[in-house]
Amino acid sequence: MHFLLRVLLKTMHFKNTSIILTALVFILACSTLALALEPETFHSWFNALYWVLTTMSTVGYGDYYAKTAAGKLLTIFLYVFGIGLLSLLIGKVIDSIASIQRQREAGQLRFQGKGHFIIINWSKKAQYAVDEISACLPDADIVIIDESDRHPMQRKSHVHFISGDPASDEVLEEANLTVARAAIIFADSRIDEAALADGKTLLIASSIERLAPSIHSTVEIVHEKNVQNFRYVKVNEFVLSHDAISRLAVRAALQEGNSEIFSQLLSRQHGDDIYEVPLKPEWRTYGDAFQELLSRGATLISDRGDLGVNRKLREAIPPDARLFVIADKSTVDAILGS
C-alpha cells in the first residue's frame, strides 16, 4: 500500500501526455490480465475492458465480477490504484480546460483560423466595429490585438484576443495576419497627443503592409496632415477620426432628418445599405443596369467612387466597372441569386 501511494503521488507530477499514456497502458494491461485470470468469467477481452472501466469509475453494475482469489486481488488493486489514476486523469483534463480558458482571457493563444478580421487597439469605436461585423457576417471570426492583458469581449466565442504590441511581428503572426481578410487599425485612445497617436498607427500599418501587403488595411487617422504618410505605406483606406462625426452633425443642422439616412447607410443593422452587384453581359450601358436594378428594388448609385452614373445612363459600362446599389439584404440576395 505504501508503495502504491508513493507511485500515485509521483504520478501527480507527470505531464498531461504522460498521464494519458499511463492511464491507457494501465487500462489495457488490467483488461488483459483480468481475462487471463478469469477467462470463464469474462469470455472476451472486450468484456474484461468493460469490467475494468466500470470498476475504475466506481459504477459497478455487477453483471461481471471477479470470482477467484487472484481476480479479487486485481479488483482490490483497481480500487486502490485505478480509481486514483482515473480521478487524476479527470482532474488533469479539467485543469487543462481551465488553463486554456485562462490563456484565452489573457490573450496568450495563437489564432488558427483564416479569412478573419483583425481589429487593432481596443476602444469604444473598436467595440462598435465588432458589433457591426457581427451583424453583417454572424459567422465571421474577429481577432482583437491590444496591449491590455484581458479579453475585452470574453462572452463572444467568435472573437479572439491577442495581447501584445500590435507593431511586433510576433504578435501579428499570432493573429495569423497573412491569411486574414482585412485589418482595421484604430488610433490608440490612451495617447492624448495626436502626432504620437498617428505615429504609432503608422508604425503598425507599416508592419502589416510589410508582412502581408495583400491584406486590405483600413486605418483611423487623428490629424489630417498625416494622410500623405499613410498613403506612402500603401494603406488601402483611411478615415479621419473626427471628420465623419463633424460632417454628419453639420448635415443634420442644415437639413433636418437627413442624419437618419446616413446612419442607416453606415450600419447594416437597420434599414437599407450599400452593396456591390456583379456586372451582367446584357448590361451595355449604365441605363440598362439602372432600369433592371430599379425593377428589382435596388437603386444604382455609383461605379466605384463615381456617384454621377445616373447622369451617364447612355454611356457604356467599362469592363472593369464596380457597381454599387442601395437596397436591403433580401433584395440583394435575390439579385445575386438570379
Side-chain angles (χ1 to χ4, degrees):
M1 292 293 293
H2 179 68
F3 171 75
L4 293 177
L5 182 60
R6 289 182 59 187
V7 172
L8 185 60
L9 289 174
K10 289 185 177 181
T11 305
M12 294 178 65
H13 298 288
F14 286 179
K15 294 182 179 179
N16 293 346
T17 305
S18 301
I19 292 177
I20 293 175
L21 292 176
T22 301
L24 181 61
V25 171
F26 178 84
I27 293 171
L28 296 178
C30 288
S31 302
T32 304
L33 181 59
L35 180 62
L37 293 175
E38 298 197 17
E40 295 182 357
T41 301
F42 300 109
H43 303 294
S44 69
W45 185 84
F46 180 78
N47 290 337
L49 174 65
Y50 165 78
W51 172 76
V52 168
L53 291 175
T54 56
T55 302
M56 289 179 62
S57 61
T58 68
V59 176
Y61 290 114
D63 46 354
Y64 292 100
Y65 58 91
K67 300 175 182 178
T68 65
K72 292 177 180 179
L73 286 174
L74 177 60
T75 304
I76 294 173
F77 178 74
L78 287 175
Y79 288 154
V80 174
F81 189 76
I83 294 175
L85 180 61
L86 184 61
S87 300
L88 180 62
L89 177 61
I90 294 173
K92 287 290 186 179
V93 171
I94 295 174
D95 183 63
S96 297
I97 295 174
S99 177
I100 292 174
Q101 180 62 25
R102 288 193 297 269
Q103 291 178 10
R104 179 179 182 272
E105 293 177 1
Q108 298 174 352
L109 291 179
R110 179 185 177 90
F111 181 73
Q112 302 292 343
K114 60 181 180 179
H116 52 289
F117 293 87
I118 297 177
I119 294 180
I120 298 174
N121 289 328
W122 182 250
S123 64
K124 198 67 177 179
K125 287 176 283 189
Q127 181 178 344
Y128 291 148
V130 171
D131 293 339
E132 187 68 21
I133 293 173
S134 300
C136 300
L137 302 169
D139 298 327
D141 290 317
I142 302 171
V143 177
I144 298 171
I145 302 178
D146 191 71
E147 294 185 62
S148 60
D149 57 359
R150 188 168 182 82
H151 197 313
M153 305 186 78
Q154 298 180 24
R155 296 184 179 181
K156 293 185 178 292
S157 59
H158 67 291
V159 179
H160 193 84
F161 173 56
I162 301 292
S163 176
D165 181 6
S168 168
D169 291 1
E170 291 77 11
V171 172
L172 293 174
E173 289 171 359
E174 287 289 313
N176 224 359
L177 172 69
T178 55
V179 292
R181 176 173 176 176
I184 304 174
I185 309 172
F186 288 100
D188 194 334
S189 58
R190 291 160 293 197
I191 302 177
D192 296 328
E193 182 64 36
L196 295 178
D198 281 347
K200 180 178 179 180
T201 303
L202 182 60
L203 182 60
I204 297 171
S206 300
S207 298
I208 290 176
E209 292 300 324
R210 175 171 51 83
L211 294 175
S214 61
I215 298 298
H216 187 279
S217 55
T218 304
V219 302
E220 177 191 11
I221 304 174
V222 178
H223 206 296
E224 187 174 3
K225 70 177 183 179
N226 296 321
V227 168
Q228 295 300 326
N229 296 327
F230 286 89
R231 285 176 174 163
Y232 179 76
V233 297
K234 299 180 180 178
V235 169
N236 297 96
E237 310 276 353
F238 57 86
V239 291
L240 292 174
S241 184
H242 307 294
D243 182 69
I245 297 175
S246 300
R247 292 177 187 274
L248 187 60
V250 171
R251 276 167 168 68
L254 293 176
Q255 290 183 310
E256 182 180 351
N258 69 3
S259 62
E260 183 179 349
I261 298 174
F262 288 103
S263 296
Q264 288 190 27
L265 295 179
L266 289 172
S267 174
R268 289 193 177 180
Q269 300 185 46
H270 309 286
D272 288 5
D273 198 4
I274 299 175
Y275 296 89
E276 182 177 1
V277 294
L279 293 174
K280 290 187 177 181
E282 58 267 27
W283 293 348
R284 299 187 180 279
T285 65
Y286 288 115
D288 296 336
F290 180 86
Q291 293 299 332
E292 181 175 340
L293 290 170
L294 188 62
S295 67
R296 303 289 297 273
T299 303
L300 178 65
I301 60 169
S302 74
D303 176 3
R304 298 180 185 269
D306 182 6
L307 294 174
V309 294
N310 291 343
R311 297 186 294 273
K312 304 176 182 178
L313 297 181
R314 294 183 180 181
E315 294 185 15
I317 301 177
D320 61 342
R322 294 180 59 188
L323 303 183
F324 292 87
V325 300
I326 294 179
D328 59 14
K329 189 175 186 305
S330 59
T331 300
V332 173
D333 289 341
I335 293 173
L336 296 178
S338 62

